[in-house]
Structure formats: C-alpha cells, structure tokens
Amino acid sequence: MKLLYPTSLKLDVSQIEGFPSVTLHPYDVKAPIPEEHVDAEVLVTWTNSSDNLKDAANRLTKLRWIQSLAAGPNDVLSAGFDTSKVAVTTGSGLHDRTVAEHALGLLLNAARRFYEMRDFQLQGKWPGHLGGPQPDRPSDRFTTLRDARVLIWGFGNIAKTLTPSLVQLGSQVRGVARRQGVRDGIEVYSEDKLAELLPETDALVMILPGDPSTKHALNAERLKLLPKHAWVVNVGRGTSIDEDALYDALVEERIGGAALDVFETEPLPEPSKLWKAPNLILSPHAAGGRPQGAEQLIVENLRKFLAGQQLKNLI
C-alpha cells in the first residue's frame, strides 16, 4: 500500500516507517500528483493547492483515506473527493497549543493596548494616557484578564487548552457549544443561551468551525447584545463573523474592539474596510500553521486503518 506525504511540512518520516505493507512517498502539494503515484491509497495533506487536490480527486482512483493535518479540512472536502469511498480524517488536536497561545496573546494585546502603544511609537509620541496611575479593573473597560468575564464560543480542544491560562490569570471563563455541560470544570452552555450570556461578557473568544451552520454566527443582532467595552477575538473561521456588521459596531463604538486572526476572504483584500477600522487588531491567520505531533497522529490512524478500526478524527 502506498502512502503519499507532503513536503510542505518537515515530517520525521522515520517515525512513520516500520509498516511492512506500506511504502512512503513524498509529493509536492503545489503540483499535479506524479503519474507513478496515482495508485496511492493514502494521502496526507497540508497546505495543498486547490489545483493539486482537484487533480488528486480525479486521478487517485485507488484512494481510500485522506489524513488532513488541518483542524478543519474545508479544502479537502471541496476538492471533489467521493467521501462515500474515501475516508477523511482531520488534524484536530495538532493545533491546540499554538492557537490557544495566539488567542491568549490577542486577549492580552487588547486588554493592555499594546497595539495602541505601537502606533504611538511609530509616530515618535509618548502614549502617556496608557501609562502611569490607572484605575484598577474599571467596569466600563476591558483592561485586564483578572476578573474578566471571558466567553469562549466553540468549546472544543483548543478552548480546553486555552482555559487553564485564563483561569490562572484570574478570568471567569464560560463556554458555549452545541451541547451544554461541564467540561474540565468549566460551565458550557448551549447556543440558545447566547442572548443571556453576551450582555455579561467582557471578551468573546470565537473558535467556531467553518461550516454552513456557523455562517455569520456573530451577526448584527448578537453584536448589539455585547457590552460597549467588550472585545471580540476570532481564531476559528472568518466566515463565523458578519464583517460588515462588525465594522459598523467598531466605527459606531458599540463594542470595545476586535482582534481577528481569520477572515471571510484571505488574504484580506486591499479594499476591505477592516484595514482602517478603529480598535481592530489584524493577524494574518497566524494562530495555527505549525502542526504539533503530526507523525504520532499519522501512525495511530495508519495502524487503525490497517486493522480495519475506526479512525481518529473521522469526519
């Protein structure tokens, strides 16, 4: 059995070797699959071009399983593979630490206004209003994570990784997910409780997947429910926020600000209004981008695949 692995990521192939019936072959994720490899049964993907994936969908007729290293394999699912014959597994869990760390950085940037300090620095001006004596935890501003009411919408593995850091810094963390319950000691509410939760939020962290059910989940109506000082942080998928509604809320000062790592169109188009929106931190989809533990996931799933067992992270 032939397994194709991408050269777009530095994998320690020695960790994947050792299966007598499996041969490993590197491939270029930006070029058509070489003719000698169209008989591959397993394809590992990472940052593949859309043309590469469409080519693979058309020519890899013996393909039985795709292991994406992305948390959300939208690129694979839209390439034309017959998912009734080809199993697709995600890289869920490989990006938990990096995305959680980035989300924490964006929250601290928003609270301590590092972005504004940088603006003043580039102008050669001293931002005196940001230094010296300051009110301690004012109720009308988001200035610290201590005692901040942080609501995480999309309470999965990344949220579980982020939460301990927030709790250690003194935040009051609550979650929102499709199913309510208590997860790792955090109260998680169903989405029908958002109307009650949003008005009690200082920072909203969004980690929603990109699918039709989350399209513009944060819309104009829900933005109006947030307190005037609240910040929105998005490290999930850009489609989950109505960007026009967010822009209006920022310009009209109906929320405190936003820190976005993902956008509906990426790269963010030059004409986008978001570039000049006040109190908006733009991050170029930088939260993930570095899967950790990819070899272990590939090996675990390859072992299950050969044994005919249920694959991990199966869609």
Side-chain angles (χ1 to χ4, degrees):
M1 185 177 71
K2 183 177 290 185
L3 179 151
L4 304 184
Y5 66 89
T7 56
S8 54
L9 178 70
K10 188 175 181 180
L11 290 169
D12 184 354
V13 181
S14 66
Q15 294 187 38
I16 309 173
E17 294 172 337
F19 294 90
S21 61
V22 180
T23 58
L24 309 178
H25 306 269
Y27 75 99
D28 184 349
V29 299
K30 306 300 182 186
I33 302 296
E35 188 63 33
E36 65 267 27
H37 293 327
V38 295
D39 58 342
E41 295 181 55
V42 182
L43 180 69
V44 180
T45 66
W46 176 246
T47 67
N48 296 54
S49 69
S50 59
D51 287 343
N52 169 274
L53 290 174
K54 289 175 183 176
D55 174 72
N58 289 327
R59 297 174 55 233
L60 270 60
T61 56
K62 295 185 178 180
L63 194 64
R64 298 166 57 201
W65 165 40
I66 298 173
Q67 173 64 67
S68 171
L69 300 182
N74 300 45
D75 55 350
V76 170
L77 297 177
S78 61
F81 293 100
D82 184 353
T83 52
S84 67
K85 298 178 181 178
V86 180
V88 178
T89 53
T90 77
S92 177
L94 303 183
H95 306 272
D96 295 352
R97 291 179 180 272
T98 56
V99 177
E101 183 178 72
H102 202 81
L104 179 61
L106 292 176
L107 284 165
L108 288 169
N109 193 344
R112 304 313 296 259
R113 305 185 79 86
F114 297 139
Y115 67 97
E116 189 174 349
M117 295 178 189
R118 176 64 173 173
D119 289 344
F120 272 76
Q121 178 183 338
L122 293 175
Q123 299 174 54
K125 297 179 180 179
W126 182 261
H129 64 292
L130 297 176
Q134 299 285 332
D136 181 29
R137 287 163 283 176
S139 60
D140 63 339
R141 278 175 282 167
F142 176 50
T143 62
T144 177
L145 285 173
R146 185 177 181 185
D147 293 333
R149 300 167 300 176
V150 179
L151 182 65
I152 304 178
W153 189 359
F155 205 92
N157 291 333
I158 295 172
K160 292 177 183 177
T161 305
L162 171 62
T163 294
S165 296
L166 295 175
V167 171
Q168 188 173 27
L169 289 170
S171 299
Q172 303 169 24
V173 181
R174 295 189 292 186
V176 175
R178 289 190 173 95
R179 293 187 301 274
Q180 65 180 28
V182 177
R183 305 182 190 179
D184 292 2
I186 301 299
E187 189 73 35
V188 177
Y189 300 82
S190 56
E191 293 183 347
D192 60 3
K193 298 294 184 182
L194 278 166
E196 302 172 25
L197 296 169
L198 290 175
E200 301 174 348
T201 298
D202 298 312
L204 172 64
V205 180
M206 301 186 63
I207 321 178
L208 291 172
D211 59 49
S213 68
T214 64
K215 174 76 172 179
H216 289 182
L218 185 61
N219 53 24
E221 180 181 353
R222 285 173 169 157
L223 280 164
K224 290 177 182 177
L225 296 175
L226 287 167
K228 191 174 181 180
H229 66 273
W231 271 71
V232 174
V233 173
N234 191 9
V235 292
R237 287 293 180 265
T239 53
S240 65
I241 294 182
D242 182 339
E243 291 179 352
D244 288 334
L246 178 66
Y247 175 82
D248 291 342
L250 290 168
V251 170
E252 296 168 12
E253 298 183 351
R254 288 189 277 109
I255 61 172
L260 309 179
D261 183 57
V262 288
F263 305 87
E264 291 201 72
T265 302
E266 296 180 3
L268 186 65
E270 189 175 333
S272 173
K273 298 182 293 184
L274 293 178
W275 290 109
K276 301 297 183 181
N279 292 329
L280 178 61
I281 301 168
L282 300 182
S283 171
H285 205 142
R290 48 190 77 80
Q292 297 179 343
E295 295 89 351
Q296 291 89 335
L297 176 61
I298 294 170
V299 168
E300 179 181 352
N301 263 346
L302 185 54
R303 187 176 293 114
K304 291 176 182 292
F305 182 75
L306 293 172
Q309 299 173 350
Q310 175 83 14
L311 300 177
K312 185 177 181 179
N313 298 341
L314 180 66
I315 292 180

